[in-house]
């Protein structure tokens, strides 16, 4: 009788996938997305940018939409805690404290990512939700906290339209970056605060000197 090799009957465990390079790959996906748009990007392009094997990406993300969805969902700003924005005691002080060079660059990149996925958002409700949560809601939530503080301390009227106020700066930034192709800098954002937002709530900006 032939001897049975019991080792052959043991299930072979697959090699554990290495996810250590996922952050680099997702960053590469965002870079390609901002340069080429969703329709123009391919997983092969992302693999080349990340210097990763195409097979690795296809095993991890079977489709381009899955790769983009995760990349967008993982976008976070590490430069400021948007869940607890600065509290300086005044509306202007709080808004100015949010104007930092790293967050300006981060906002521009998020706008370009948003522009890159516009064509896909209409077809994929899941991506639309992920984009709103990652690219829009964190800053909007921080702005709502800042304006609500101003209402609570009686600095601005209780019936101030907070939702509309929160849209002023992002809307102007979006137009400047996406339509005019111009960069956003600190001077531009301070101008928006002092000459548009503060007058809109009945506050007088500080005298320029």
């Amino acid at each position: 009788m032939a001897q049975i090799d019991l080792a052959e009957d043991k299930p072979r465990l697959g090699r554990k996938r290495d996810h250590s390079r996922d952050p680099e790959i997702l960053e590469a996906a965002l870079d390609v997305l901002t340069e080429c748009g969703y329709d123009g990007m391919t997983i092969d392009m992302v693999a080349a940018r990340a210097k990763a094997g195409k097979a690795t990406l296809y095993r991890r993300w079977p489709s381009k939409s899955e790769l983009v969805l995760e990349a967008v969902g993982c976008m976070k700003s590490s430069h400021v805690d948007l869940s607890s924005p600065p509290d300086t005691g005044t509306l202007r002080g709080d808004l100015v404290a949010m104007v930092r060079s790293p967050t300006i660059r981060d906002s521009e990149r998020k706008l370009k990512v948003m522009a890159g996925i516009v064509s896909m958002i209409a077809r994929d409700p899941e991506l639309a939700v992920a984009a709103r949560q990652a690219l829009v809601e964190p800053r909007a939530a921080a702005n709502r906290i800042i304006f609500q503080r101003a209402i609570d301390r009686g600095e601005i009227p209780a019936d101030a339209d907070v939702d509309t106020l929160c849209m002023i700066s992002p809307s102007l930034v979006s137009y400047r970056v996406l339509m005019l192709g111009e960069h956003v800098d600190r001077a531009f954002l301070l101008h928006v605060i002092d000459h548009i937002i503060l007058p809109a709530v009945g506050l007088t900006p500080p005298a320029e000197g």
Side-chain angles (χ1 to χ4, degrees), residues 30 33 38 65-77 82 106-107 109-141 174:
L30 292 172
L33 180 62
Y38 178 77
S65 62
E66 290 175 273
L67 173 59
V68 170
L69 182 63
E70 183 163 348
V72 170
C74 288
M75 284 194 76
K76 292 184 175 69
S77 172
L82 294 178
D106 182 64
S107 295
R109 188 176 191 226
K110 286 183 176 182
L111 282 174
K112 292 176 181 177
V113 169
M114 181 69 80
I117 60 175
V118 164
S119 64
M120 184 184 172
I121 285 178
R123 306 191 298 265
D124 190 334
E126 188 177 0
L127 180 62
V129 171
R132 185 172 65 251
Q133 291 177 342
L135 307 178
V136 177
E137 185 53 33
R139 186 60 183 246
S174 298

Side-chain angles (χ1 to χ4, degrees), residues 27-54:
E27 280 294 307
L30 292 172
D31 288 340
V32 174
L33 180 62
T34 59
E35 294 170 10
C36 305
Y38 178 77
D39 293 329
M41 77 178 289
T42 65
I43 288 186
D44 288 9
M45 292 165 64
V46 176
R49 178 68 62 91
K51 295 181 173 58
K54 291 186 291 185

Side-chain angles (χ1 to χ4, degrees), residues 140-151:
N143 284 340
R144 282 194 290 270
I145 292 172
I146 288 173
F147 283 109
Q148 189 59 52
R149 284 176 185 161
I151 291 174

